[in-house]
Every structure is written in C-alpha cells, then in structure tokens.
DNA sequence: AATTAAGGCGCG
DNA sequence: AAAGCGCGCCTTAATT
C-alpha cells in the first residue's frame, strides 16, 4: 500500500493507492503542522504494509526526522523515475529478446533525470561485430511527454504524484525484469531514507582532536592567506634542493620545471611517478604534498565549514554515480582521509560499530556469473587467499591484482599479465565481464542484476565513431575511435559489477536501518543509528550497551542482502565488524586475527568477526 | 573578473 | 595514459 503525499497550500494531501496502482478511498487532508503526528499514527497502525510516497525524500523526510520520527518504508518518485527512464530507454536486443514492451512513456525532464535522456532502436538481431557500421546505434528522439512531472523540486508547478506513481508502476510491470526493478526502486528509496537519517544524525566529530592533529602536522593555524609554518619549512627545503629561491611548491608547472632543471627525468609531478625516482628532493616533496593536501582539503577551513556541534553532516547524493553508487556533495563526504579518522569519535558511553564487506565486488561477480568455483574460493575466508589456494596465482597480492585487472579491464602491467591465469581458473566469472566489455564496445547498454541500465553513448560519439571508419576519414581517427570503444568497454565491464555491488550495499543498508528501527524505536539520536556509509562500509553510532546487538544486526543484514539478490546461490559476504571508540581503530584487523575475518569479539577493543549464512 | 580545464590526490 | 573502473574537490593555468 502506497500513501502518496503532496502539498496543497498549508495542508498535505494523503492518498492511498494499492500495490496495483488503484486509488483507495478519498484523499485525506492534514494540516502541515500536524503531519508528523499523523504519520506517526499511520506508522503505528499499519507500518508493515505502508510505503510513503513522495516527490523527493530530501524535501519530506527531514522535517519528520526533526519531529523525532522514522518511517519504515518509502517510494521516492524522483529516484524511481530516474531508474525507470534508464531501464525504459534501453533497447531490448537479440533475436530471443522479448518484444519491446516499454509501457507508457515517462517524461524525461532534464532537471529530474541525471543521465541524459537516451533512446534508440534495437540494433540488428544478428551478431554484429565490433566496428561493423550496422552495430552502431542510431539515436532517435526522446520519449514523448506522458506523465506530468514537476519542473521544480518544490513541486510548485502542477504535478500529481498519484499519477506519477501509477505511471511508474505500469512501466515496471511492462518491462522485462519487473521483479528486479521493483526491488531496485524499493532499495533506492530505502537508501534515500538512510541518507536523510545519516545527515540528520551526523557523524560524531571531535573538532579538538582534529585541530590537534592539524597542529602536529602543519603547525599553528596560520592567518588568512599565509602558509602554515611546517609547509613553509618544507618549501624552504625544496627550494634549497632545487636551487630555486622563488619556487611555489603548489604549482605543478614550476615544480616540474625545477625538477627537470635539477636533472630528473620526470614527465609530471604526480606521486606515483616521483616515487620511483632517487633524489634527495623526492622525500621532502612528497611530504610537502601530503601535508599540503591535508591543509587544503581537510584543514581548519574544512573544520569550520563542515563540523558543527560535534557532528559532520555531509550531503549524500543517492544514486549520484551512474552505477548507482552514492556520491557526496560538500565536505568530500566520501573521501574522508584515513589520516583524520581518529577525529571520528563516539559520544561518551557510545561506540562506533564499523562494518566492512570483505572483497565485495569480486564476490558479487562470482554470484552474478554463477561461478561456483570462485564462490567456493571465498567461502569462510579471504577471497584472495582462496584464489591462491586454487593454485591460480602465487600469492594474495597477485590474486588481488588479477581480480582488479579483470574487473577494470587491465591489458598491461601486473593485472594484464595475470588475468589469463584467472580466466583459466574461473572461466565463468571472467566470461561474464568480458561479455559486458564487448557489449560496451559495440555501443550497447548493460544492466546490473536488478536492472539499472548503464548510460548509452551519445549521438555525437556514435556519429564520430561511424565517421572514423568511413573511407574519407581523417588519418588517426580510426585509432581514436577504437580507443573510445575500448574505453566504453572498460566502463560497461566494470558497471555490471560495481552497480550490482551497489545494489547489495543498498539492500544491506536497508536491512540495517529497518532492524535498528524495529529493535530500538524512538528518535534517531537516542538510539543506535546509521552514521556513515562508504560503498562497502557502514558505521553505526550506538550506545555501548547495544553495540553487540548492533553488530549482530549488521551481520544478519549482510546475509539477508546476499539472499535477496542471489537467492540460494551459495555465496557468502563476510564482514569485518569492529566495535570501537574511534573510526581509525577499526582499520584492518591485527595480522594475527587473520585479516579481519575471525570470530573474536570484545566489547572494548577493536574486534572482528565473520558473517555467515 | 569570472569561468573552465588541467593536474593532482583523497576515497571505494 | 598509472595498468585499469567510479567519484569530489583543491590549486593553478588557461580561456573568455
């Protein structure tokens, strides 16, 4: 049952709609000021079936959270729209593909859909080869406007969310993979709830600890525009070594020029290149860069801007990455340097439960491709160790390089060398990503397990590629076109894994938040709550007495996420779970603990354990 | 003066 | 172009 909310002056209209999209009864009108208590009452009466449906969780949920409520489930029309437009515009292909049944067109409004609206006829059903002109997609017009959709996020233009919901439900029913899409839309909406909750609660942050760390590394806070003394000192060392009194170490151009003048054969000033050069200037230069980065990205200005009342409240952008991963906005939420994680400290009497899914993406690939041998390799232990045990490669580091190489499309270097050995040991898994790569090279879209579609190449790119293979093409164009196609292939190759891993993570997070709410009801801030999320890692801020129960919840939810996505396929998703006072203490279990997947637990120190199904 | 691109580095 | 995916955001350099 959906309860669709919309604003009408100072009132809120609530219309019930059943799972088939049929309107149930008359709309109720609730004064906006009394919405929280009304929502609360509805949740209490029928929360297990009810799905709050609104244009945008970011517009509706914060005020409910502010009133001390948490809702169980939601349907975010904006996020669902985006997913469905992507799924709908994907041409079905292949001789055996079901006839296109795309349902009613959804309006693609640029202000609401992050991916560019795309559309196009299916390519020829026969197996088209790479760079065959026939394989390139022609691009047609956007789908017609079918569903009224607000042009602005505040819903100020006429917009009927009931109609929008009905259209979405019809589209889902009409698309192949409806069950997956239904799940995906629910998971994405749950993510939106979690993101709002995490922003509301914030990540506990000790500004004093952060500031002390800055002083230790940079010296006292400098006045505006001045360079911290430690950076100035290092700059002096660099100037001395490079014999350049005026060198600005922040200018890559100047530094590169000075390095070459000093006789170093480098083509850039990037860390990876400098690391392999022997010269007395390298060490202080890398040290300067490390500290300058801390100063610029997470220095005092960052602290002033982003930490208030002991909390860091970043904005999470749900589905902000094409793969469905979250992005962040403001404060570099998803790039918190490990260097400063010691400032993330639980409140007195509270703990951080830090959980990390071990080798999530390779495990997702094993399950996606139904590769039992790879799944076996990871059962109950570190997957890379398991790969070594099969004899495919010599050591863990090789296993990791090979795995990443396979998922990213490495052709050279260590990864490129090792992928063939992986392919012999795990042919199903490797074939899966290879197929995705070939599809991308042909200009096709690929999908995640639940049906999130990768964006298709733009009309301009396809046309440029076509032109590059014409008889009168400019010299070199063909090579460039092949490079672009390969680049697309690496993207689609990675997309199938990254996007499905993002779905696992959404399911995991959804399970955690639902269980936390059930087990520990009441306002967020007074009970265990999600505090941070980072692709394959979750942090729950919890009263110390509840930390062990929370750790169990996190593990149960991981196992459940595996079942939701992959059913009975025998894949495990081990977690390292640490109950700690500060975030930095959670990083990597001690070596004796077997890389973080043993069963030791202790209330006060770092501890790890494995999730089993 | 105000944007945009490039170089670089943090995270997964 | 790191050998190979996805991001955000900082400073400097280039362009309008």
């Amino acid at each position: 049952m959906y309860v669709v909310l919309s604003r009408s002056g100072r009132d809120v209209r609530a219309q019930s709609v059943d799972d088939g999209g049929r309107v149930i009864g008359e709309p109720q009108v609730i004064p906006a000021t009394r919405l929280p208590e009304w929502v609360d009452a509805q949740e209490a009466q029928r929360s297990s079936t009810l799905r709050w449906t609104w244009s945008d969780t970011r517009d509706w949920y914060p005020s409910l959270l502010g009133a001390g409520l948490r809702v169980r489930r939601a349907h975010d029309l904006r996020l669902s729209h985006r997913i469905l437009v992507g799924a709908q515009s994907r041409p079905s292909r292949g001789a055996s593909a079901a006839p296109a049944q795309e349902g009613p067109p959804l309006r693609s409004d640029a202000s609401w859909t992050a991916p560019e609206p795309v559309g196009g006829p299916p390519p020829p059903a026969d197996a088209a080869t790479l760079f065959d002109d026939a394989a390139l997609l022609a691009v047609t017009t956007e789908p017609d406007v079918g569903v009224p959709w607000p042009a602005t996020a505040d819903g100020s233009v006429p917009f009927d969310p009931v109609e929008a919901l009905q259209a979405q439900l019809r589209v889902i029913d009409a698309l192949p993979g409806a069950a997956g899409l239904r799940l995906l839309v629910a998971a994405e909406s749950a993510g939106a709830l979690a993101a709002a909750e995490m922003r509301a609660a914030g990540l506990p942050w000790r500004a004093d600890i952060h500031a002390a760390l800055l002083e230790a590394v940079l010296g006292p806070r400098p006045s505006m525009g001045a360079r911290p003394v430690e950076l100035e000192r290092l700059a002096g060392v660099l100037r001395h070594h490079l014999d350049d009194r005026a060198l600005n170490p922040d200018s890559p151009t100047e530094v590169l020029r000075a390095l070459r003048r000093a006789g170093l054969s480098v083509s850039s000033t990037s860390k990876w290149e400098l690391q392999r050069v022997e010269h007395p200037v390298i060490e202080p230069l890398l040290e300067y860069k490390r500290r300058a980065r801390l100063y610029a990205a997470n220095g005092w200005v960052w602290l002033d801007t982003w930490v208030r009342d002991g909390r860091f409240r970043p904005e999470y952008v749900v589905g902000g990455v094409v793969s469905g991963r979250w992005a962040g906005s403001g404060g570099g939420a998803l790039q918190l340097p490990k260097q400063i994680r010691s400032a993330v400290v639980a409140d007195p009497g509270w703990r951080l439960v830090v959980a990390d899914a071990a080798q999530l993406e390779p495990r997702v690939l094993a399950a996606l491709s139904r590769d039992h041998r790879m799944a076996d390799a990871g059962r109950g232990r570190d997957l890379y160790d398991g790969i070594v045990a099969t004899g495919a490669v010599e050591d863990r580091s090789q296993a990791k390089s090979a795995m990443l190489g396979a998922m990213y499309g490495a052709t050279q270097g260590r990864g490129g060398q090792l992928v063939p050995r992986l392919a012999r040991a795990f042919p199903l898994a490797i074939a899966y990503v290879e197929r995705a790569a070939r599809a991308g090279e042909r200009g096709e879209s690929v999908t995640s397990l639940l049906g999130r579609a990768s964006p298709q190449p733009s009309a301009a790119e396809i046309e440029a590629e076509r032109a590059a293979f014409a008889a009168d093409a400019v010299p070199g164009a063909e090579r460039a076109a092949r490079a672009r196609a390969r680049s697309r292939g690496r993207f689609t190759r990675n997309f199938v894994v990254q996007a499905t891993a993002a779905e696992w993570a959404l399911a995991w997070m959804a399970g955690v938040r639902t269980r936390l709410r059930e087990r520990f009801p009441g306002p967020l801030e007074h009970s265990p709550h999600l505090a941070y999320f980072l692709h394959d890692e979750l942090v729950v801020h919890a009263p110390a007495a509840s930390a062990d129960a929370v750790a169990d919840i996190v593990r149960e939810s991981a196992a459940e996420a595996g079942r939701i996505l992959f059913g009975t396929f025998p894949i495990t998703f081990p977690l390292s779970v640490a109950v700690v006072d500060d975030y930095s203490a959670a990083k990597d279990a001690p070596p004796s603990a077997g890389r973080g997947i043993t069963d030791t637990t202790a209330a006060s120190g770092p501890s790890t354990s494995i999730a089993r199904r």
Side-chain angles (χ1 to χ4, degrees):
Chain A
M1 175 75 74
Y2 299 86
V3 176
V4 185
L5 300 184
S6 56
R7 296 192 199 285
S8 151
R10 291 195 172 155
D11 295 327
V12 170
R13 246 179 60 129
Q15 173 67 60
S16 294
V17 173
D18 73 14
D19 290 349
R22 286 172 292 272
V23 165
I24 306 292
E26 293 297 309
Q28 295 197 50
V29 176
I30 306 107
T33 52
R34 302 189 54 189
L35 183 65
E37 66 181 87
W38 185 79
V39 167
D40 198 20
Q42 298 297 308
E43 281 278 328
Q45 281 170 31
R46 45 175 188 160
S47 107
S48 62
T49 58
L50 194 154
R51 206 177 274 287
W52 297 101
T53 302
W54 42 46
S55 55
D56 189 334
T57 303
R58 297 172 303 184
D59 293 338
W60 288 89
Y61 197 29
S63 62
L64 297 177
L65 286 169
L69 297 186
R70 275 181 281 178
V71 302
R72 184 165 185 275
R73 305 197 302 181
H75 178 92
D76 186 300
L77 289 166
R78 177 184 65 99
L79 295 172
S80 302
H81 178 83
R82 221 169 48 180
I83 289 168
L84 295 175
V85 166
Q88 197 178 30
S89 61
R90 212 179 97 83
S92 54
R93 66 178 54 75
S96 61
Q101 291 182 347
E102 301 185 345
L106 288 172
R107 174 171 166 179
S108 295
D109 185 308
S111 68
W112 280 73
T113 57
E116 286 189 12
V118 290
D126 53 317
T129 49
L130 185 55
F131 303 122
D132 182 348
D133 277 2
L136 301 178
L137 298 177
V139 172
T140 59
T141 53
E142 297 175 24
D144 287 337
V145 171
V147 178
W149 200 252
T152 55
D154 64 6
S156 60
V157 296
F159 164 63
D160 186 343
V162 173
E163 282 179 31
L165 172 66
Q166 290 170 328
Q168 291 185 357
L169 296 177
R170 286 197 302 273
V171 167
I172 291 172
D173 284 341
L175 283 168
L181 286 170
R182 215 167 276 127
L183 196 51
L184 177 54
V185 155
E188 189 92 326
S189 300
L193 294 177
E197 289 170 4
M198 284 190 272
R199 184 169 165 76
L203 183 63
W205 199 281
R206 286 275 299 273
D208 57 330
I209 292 177
H210 186 167
L213 197 148
L214 293 176
E215 281 214 32
V217 174
L218 300 164
R221 181 175 190 165
S223 53
M224 269 270 287
R227 197 178 260 137
V229 293
E230 278 300 304
L231 287 184
E232 200 54 69
R233 182 184 64 77
L234 283 164
V237 174
L238 300 179
R239 290 176 186 134
H240 172 257
H241 280 301
L242 295 172
D243 194 26
D244 181 347
R245 307 194 73 77
L247 178 74
N248 173 10
D250 292 323
S251 164
T253 317
E254 285 185 36
V255 172
L256 182 60
R257 189 163 2 110
L259 288 173
R260 304 191 73 133
R261 202 165 44 221
L264 283 76
S265 56
V266 288
S267 62
S268 78
T269 65
S270 64
K271 194 166 67 177
W272 71 267
E273 192 172 355
L274 295 179
Q275 270 165 353
R276 57 196 63 194
V277 176
E278 286 281 342
H279 191 281
V281 77
I282 298 300
E283 193 263 310
L285 177 53
L286 292 177
E287 190 58 33
Y288 179 90
K289 282 163 159 282
R290 208 175 71 88
R291 298 191 196 195
R293 162 87 192 182
L294 176 67
Y295 174 56
N298 298 96
W300 291 276
V301 174
W302 182 90
L303 199 45
D304 289 347
T305 309
W306 295 106
V307 176
R308 281 269 188 294
D309 304 323
R311 293 290 187 269
F312 171 43
R313 299 174 199 276
E315 187 184 337
Y316 296 96
V317 183
V318 176
V321 180
V322 284
S323 65
R325 272 188 174 185
W326 289 12
S329 167
L334 276 55
Q335 312 148 244
L336 280 189
K338 296 186 172 172
Q339 216 180 345
I340 58 168
R341 289 187 185 180
S342 57
V344 180
V345 181
D347 288 350
W350 288 55
R351 294 285 187 276
L352 297 175
V353 180
V354 180
D356 186 307
Q359 306 98 37
L360 176 59
E361 293 196 350
R363 289 172 194 278
V364 162
L365 174 57
L368 261 181
S369 60
R370 306 281 156 182
D371 191 322
H372 280 87
R373 296 175 64 183
M374 186 173 278
D376 289 348
R379 189 160 306 114
R381 63 168 152 186
D382 181 283
L383 174 63
Y384 298 131
D385 287 344
I387 289 175
V388 173
T390 68
V393 293
E394 271 86 60
D395 57 42
R396 184 176 189 278
S397 151
Q398 281 191 349
K400 188 172 180 178
S401 290
M403 219 35 257
L404 293 176
M407 293 189 300
Y408 292 163
T411 56
Q412 294 172 43
R414 219 159 109 91
Q417 299 278 310
L418 292 165
V419 169
R421 295 167 67 174
L422 210 58
R424 278 193 292 278
F426 307 104
L428 289 179
I430 303 306
Y432 194 91
V433 287
E434 287 295 331
R435 271 201 305 279
R438 299 292 93 80
E441 287 169 357
R442 289 194 297 268
E444 295 169 9
S445 145
V446 296
T447 61
S448 67
L449 177 68
L450 297 185
R452 197 187 299 265
S454 71
Q456 287 170 284
S458 68
E461 181 168 355
I462 292 304
E463 170 54 24
E465 214 161 282
R466 194 198 56 74
F469 291 98
D472 58 347
V474 287
E478 183 173 331
R479 203 170 56 82
R482 284 183 195 277
R484 272 197 305 277
R486 277 196 303 271
S487 170
R488 279 203 308 270
R490 288 192 300 274
F491 168 64
T492 51
R493 168 196 293 271
N494 185 250
F495 181 94
V496 294
V497 178
Q498 188 182 114
T500 305
E503 286 162 357
W504 182 91
L506 280 175
W508 181 36
M509 177 166 38
V512 171
R513 75 167 289 280
T514 301
R515 285 173 168 82
L516 288 178
R517 179 181 168 280
E518 275 167 10
R519 197 91 51 95
F520 305 100
L524 265 189
E525 290 81 0
H526 302 148
S527 40
H529 53 260
L530 294 171
Y532 192 58
F533 171 64
L534 192 54
H535 309 312
D536 59 1
E537 192 171 335
L538 266 180
V539 178
V540 179
H541 191 209
S546 64
D548 287 342
V550 169
D552 287 341
I553 283 175
V554 164
R555 281 187 283 260
E556 285 164 21
S557 302
E560 185 193 43
R563 286 192 297 272
I564 289 173
L565 262 68
F566 302 113
T568 58
F569 184 81
I571 185 78
T572 55
F573 289 96
L575 246 41
S576 75
V577 182
V579 178
V580 294
D581 291 320
D582 84 85
Y583 197 179
S584 67
K587 284 295 103 183
D588 291 325
S592 61
R595 281 199 197 87
I597 51 175
T598 62
D599 272 321
T600 56
T601 28
S604 56
S607 65
T608 60
S609 58
I610 188 168
R612 298 181 193 283
R613 304 180 31 193

